[in-house]
Amino acid sequence: MKCPFCGHTEDRVVDSRVGRDGEFIRRRRECLKCHRRYTTYEYIEDVLPHVVKRDGRREPFDRQKLRASILKSCEKRSVGVQAVDDVVGEIESQLHDRAEKEISSEELGKIVMEHLQKLDPVAYVRFASVYRKFKDVGQFVDEVRGLQRDDKAKAATAAKSKAVAKAK
């Protein structure tokens, strides 16, 4: 492992822990040259589907690229890095469960938006603006109105459920 601080290639493992449901191993390492510590994660190499881009290109699914785009959407919001990692893990699980060897970037974008809508509405709109290539403010307004309608519908459903529960 190459030290991210000095580039030295020798280190020692200080601590190892199994992560979320055995999906990865988290290791704390110490560089033998500069003695600084850093964390690495080991994942089982998975065969995830290839992403078919809008122009027809195919590229391997990239967990870090997905994570970076979600983090960018959540920038300056009160969304923790752990919550973003959880979303990325859930999306990866969904992709594992699929039988197909390819997924379109449009479909992957829809999956991400479903998760972001639950996580943070502002992050959702930010992601949607790039994913759907908003060209003017009107498209932003339409998307926000759609979110507001969804919130009102959820509130009405919750109120009905509560009233039914009280009646029993």
Side-chain angles (χ1 to χ4, degrees), residues 16-17 30 48 61 71 91 104 110 127 144 146 153-155 158:
S16 290
R17 295 183 185 190
E30 181 178 357
L48 288 164
F61 173 80
L71 280 171
I91 292 170
S104 69
K110 287 178 186 175
F127 187 88
V144 171
K154 286 177 189 173

Side-chain angles (χ1 to χ4, degrees), residues 44-143:
I44 295 173
E45 188 171 17
D46 294 318
V47 180
L48 288 164
H50 276 68
V51 178
V52 181
K53 306 302 250 177
R54 288 181 178 149
D55 64 3
R57 287 181 298 121
R58 286 163 169 70
E59 61 182 49
F61 173 80
D62 185 347
R63 179 180 215 285
Q64 294 305 321
K65 188 174 178 181
L66 176 66
R67 183 177 184 273
S69 68
I70 294 173
L71 280 171
K72 189 73 170 167
S73 298
C74 296
E75 210 168 78
K76 296 184 182 179
R77 300 292 301 157
S78 60
V79 177
V81 174
Q82 186 59 49
V84 171
D85 288 340
D86 290 344
V87 166
V88 171
E90 288 173 26
I91 292 170
E92 267 188 324
S93 293
Q94 279 183 271
L95 295 178
H96 278 294
D97 295 343
R98 296 169 51 98
E100 296 92 18
K101 293 183 180 180
E102 293 182 334
I103 184 171
S104 69
S105 59
E106 289 87 7
E107 190 175 350
L108 182 58
K110 287 178 186 175
I111 292 170
V112 173
M113 287 188 356
E114 287 172 13
H115 287 278
L116 281 177
Q117 192 171 10
K118 296 172 195 166
L119 186 66
D120 185 80
V122 173
Y124 165 80
V125 173
R126 286 177 177 170
F127 187 88
S129 71
V130 174
Y131 167 70
R132 292 186 181 154
K133 298 181 179 176
F134 288 178
K135 290 180 179 37
D136 59 35
V137 175
Q139 290 178 303
F140 276 97
V141 172
D142 291 343
E143 197 65 41

Side-chain angles (χ1 to χ4, degrees), residues 147-159:
L147 279 173
Q148 289 173 331
R149 280 191 299 272
D150 290 348
D151 285 347
K152 287 179 184 176
K154 286 177 189 173
T157 303

Side-chain angles (χ1 to χ4, degrees), residues 18-25 42-44 46 63 89-90 92-93:
V18 175
R20 189 182 36 225
D21 299 328
E23 292 178 22
F24 60 87
I25 297 175
E42 292 180 22
Y43 292 89
I44 295 173
D46 294 318
R63 179 180 215 285
E90 288 173 26
E92 267 188 324
S93 293

